[in-house]
Amino acid sequence: MASEHAEHVLTPTSYISHHLSFMAHPVGDTPFMSVNVDSVVMSVLLGIIGCGFMWLAGRGATASVPGKRQALVELALEFVNDQVKSIFHGNISFVAPLALTVFVWVLLMNSMDFLPVDLSAWVYKNVFGLENWRQVPTADINTTFALSLSVWLLMIFYSVKAKGLGGWIHELTCSPFGSNPVLWIPNFLFNLVEYISKPLSHSLRLYGNMYAGEIIFLLLGLWAATGPSGTFFGAILSGGWAVFHILIVALQAYIFMMLTIVYMAMAHESH
Amino acid sequence: MNINLTLIAQGVWFFAFVWFTSRFVWPPLMRAIEERQKKIADGLAAAEKGQLELVSAKGRVDELIDGAKRQSQDLVQSAQKRADEMVEAAKVTAQAEGERQLAAARAGIEQEIRQARETLREQVAELALAGAEQILMREIDASKHQDVLDKLGARL
């Protein structure tokens, strides 16, 4: 990195900011009109890998003794199916595939955090010629918000579908405190807070965990650059953090899926 | 870390993946799983039925074996009885035969004894007559003493 930018001395600040810059490609004049190419490409690749793998397993699915690939996918399917069935009461033919997609996709995107930050940055730069390539799409707030807002839209859609537009408006204004006209405004404000906080907490929880995980790897990488003892202990701690991160990656994917199911279930239930 | 168009791009892809999964991934796999569950349930039910059938078959077999045992015992018993009867009958027959033969032998012997006695008597009479003839030839006139000789002959 330093050799190409001879004027840049490799300082901690430049190291961190280099690792945390997206490959933003402007498509318009305003700051909003740009696309983080790295996030989109990585997430789409992972989505294609995940869905494609499951599709391959499903295409050759047999009701008799399943192969190893089918068994693996069925494991995920059964796991998601059980969770959905226990939370969501009603027709699960859409919610279950939604939850499966969310789980597999988020798990794969989170798993990109397992790749060593500096090694993969070197590969992106020297093999693919890509500077500033962020490999963890879920450490991009755009991705997590895209997911949570999509779920949010689905939630509103299914809420209206299940209760009708009038029922939904009735729920917004008359619950949780009661249907007295005096309480319409407090009810609505309460529901507004709920509707705003749902996608916020949904996406920020995932984003925060993945972002923090990445930062810790970067800080340990910084420490490793300070000298032999730093390299030694930094490597050990990086290994430890990587092991712990396996849990976080899986757990955050699970939580994201569970919240998706819960929100959809709440949308279906009427008060 | 600013919100930009990536948000919309990711959202579009999200819906695309969800649609793909719910259309092409979930249904065939779920169908396979449910089919297999049904197969396993059927297999278990069949196994249970087989077990029940086995138990009842065992009961039937036991019954059959018991019947056969009883029958064979009866057969052995009746055979024994029959054999005893046959032995008894043979004994009776043999005894009767023996007695018959004994009686026949006795009758034969008696007859022979009688014959011998008859012969003996005649010979003794002849001998006595001859002896007396020899001794009394000269002095006894046969015609005078005929009645004495007849009496003697009759007594022998």
Side-chain angles (χ1 to χ4, degrees):
Chain A
M1 299 162 235
S3 57
E4 270 192 17
H5 305 276
E7 73 275 16
H8 277 172
V9 185
L10 189 59
T11 62
T13 317
S14 71
Y15 173 76
I16 298 259
S17 70
H18 171 261
H19 269 293
L20 293 183
S21 331
F22 289 103
M23 193 186 208
H25 181 76
V27 289
D29 301 328
T30 55
F32 181 79
M33 295 302 282
S34 67
V35 175
N36 294 344
V37 183
D38 39 11
S39 291
V40 174
V41 168
M42 289 305 280
S43 62
V44 168
L45 272 179
L46 291 167
I48 288 171
I49 289 171
C51 290
F53 185 79
M54 294 193 291
W55 176 70
L56 275 180
R59 211 177 49 154
T62 166
S64 56
V65 182
K68 288 194 176 64
R69 188 203 295 143
Q70 194 189 338
L72 176 69
V73 176
E74 278 186 7
L75 199 70
L77 209 78
E78 290 262 31
F79 166 70
V80 173
N81 198 35
D82 286 348
Q83 303 292 345
V84 173
K85 267 187 183 163
S86 66
I87 297 169
F88 190 90
H89 307 292
N91 184 10
I92 64 163
S93 62
F94 178 75
V95 181
L98 169 72
L100 180 70
T101 314
V102 165
F103 180 65
V104 170
W105 199 23
V106 172
L107 185 69
L108 284 175
M109 290 195 286
N110 289 356
S111 300
M112 297 315 287
D113 230 357
F114 295 143
L115 300 177
V117 277
D118 286 308
L119 195 63
S120 46
W122 185 88
V123 169
Y124 293 132
K125 190 181 162 208
N126 291 297
V127 179
F128 299 108
L130 300 164
E131 193 81 31
N132 291 339
W133 188 263
R134 291 282 297 274
Q135 59 181 350
V136 190
T138 40
D140 181 353
I141 199 160
N142 286 300
T143 307
T144 61
F145 260 121
L147 285 169
S148 73
L149 286 175
S150 302
V151 171
W152 188 71
L153 288 175
L154 283 172
M155 189 175 87
I156 292 172
F157 174 74
Y158 274 91
S159 202
V160 172
K161 198 184 161 200
K163 298 153 198 160
L165 191 60
W168 184 57
I169 290 169
H170 180 265
E171 189 183 277
L172 282 181
T173 51
C174 298
S175 76
F177 301 123
S179 52
N180 193 317
V182 182
L183 296 168
W184 282 1
I185 301 295
N187 278 335
F188 180 71
L189 287 175
F190 190 88
N191 281 311
L192 195 67
V193 170
E194 201 178 307
Y195 268 92
I196 291 170
S197 66
K198 268 178 186 170
L200 270 178
S201 67
H202 201 187
S203 65
L204 287 178
R205 178 181 296 106
L206 178 62
Y207 165 73
N209 272 285
M210 299 328 291
Y211 187 77
E214 221 179 6
I215 291 278
I216 287 175
F217 278 125
L218 293 178
L219 291 178
L220 288 169
L222 269 185
W223 193 21
T226 56
S229 67
T231 308
F232 181 70
F233 290 111
I236 289 178
L237 283 174
S238 280
W241 179 243
V243 171
F244 185 60
H245 216 60
I246 295 173
L247 177 72
I248 294 177
V249 160
L251 188 69
Q252 287 305 319
Y254 173 73
I255 290 173
F256 203 89
M257 177 198 77
M258 289 305 277
L259 283 174
T260 303
I261 302 170
V262 168
Y263 289 167
M264 296 303 285
M266 283 164 80
H268 252 259
E269 281 161 14
S270 49
H271 294 277
Chain B
M1 205 208 303
N2 44 352
I3 300 285
N4 59 26
L5 213 55
T6 316
L7 182 76
I8 289 158
Q10 300 283 62
V12 169
W13 277 104
F14 174 72
F15 279 110
F17 286 133
V18 169
W19 174 79
F20 181 84
T21 308
S22 63
R23 182 91 175 70
F24 298 109
V25 174
W26 190 271
L29 279 164
M30 214 55 215
R31 206 163 36 239
I33 289 175
E34 275 162 5
E35 222 167 285
R36 188 172 324 114
Q37 278 172 340
K38 196 180 165 302
K39 262 190 191 174
I40 291 171
D42 287 353
L44 285 175
E48 205 162 323
K49 207 177 139 213
Q51 199 117 33
L52 284 178
E53 267 172 16
L54 182 68
V55 168
S56 81
K58 259 189 185 155
R60 267 209 309 281
V61 165
D62 282 354
E63 249 170 56
L64 279 176
I65 286 176
D66 276 359
K69 264 187 190 161
R70 250 197 320 275
Q71 210 166 3
S72 71
Q73 249 164 7
D74 286 355
L75 270 177
V76 166
Q77 262 174 5
S78 73
Q80 197 119 35
K81 214 171 120 194
R82 181 101 183 83
D84 286 355
E85 274 172 9
M86 274 167 83
V87 166
E88 206 60 38
K91 265 186 192 163
V92 169
T93 320
Q95 214 159 14
E97 179 67 13
E99 268 163 21
R100 197 181 59 78
Q101 281 186 4
L102 198 62
R106 266 200 195 126
I109 287 166
E110 227 149 84
Q111 180 143 14
E112 261 170 44
I113 287 172
R114 237 191 335 266
Q115 234 165 18
R117 200 177 276 165
E118 201 68 30
T119 321
L120 204 58
R121 192 193 298 160
E122 278 169 23
Q123 281 175 353
V124 168
E126 267 171 43
L127 259 175
L129 206 57
E133 240 173 18
Q134 294 277 318
I135 297 161
L136 303 168
M137 198 55 88
R138 278 132 315 168
E139 23 196 293
I140 295 172
D141 185 356
S143 54
K144 272 189 190 166
H145 304 302
Q146 190 61 50
D147 59 329
V148 179
L149 284 176
D150 280 347
K151 263 185 210 167
L152 202 68
R155 273 180 58 197
L156 284 168

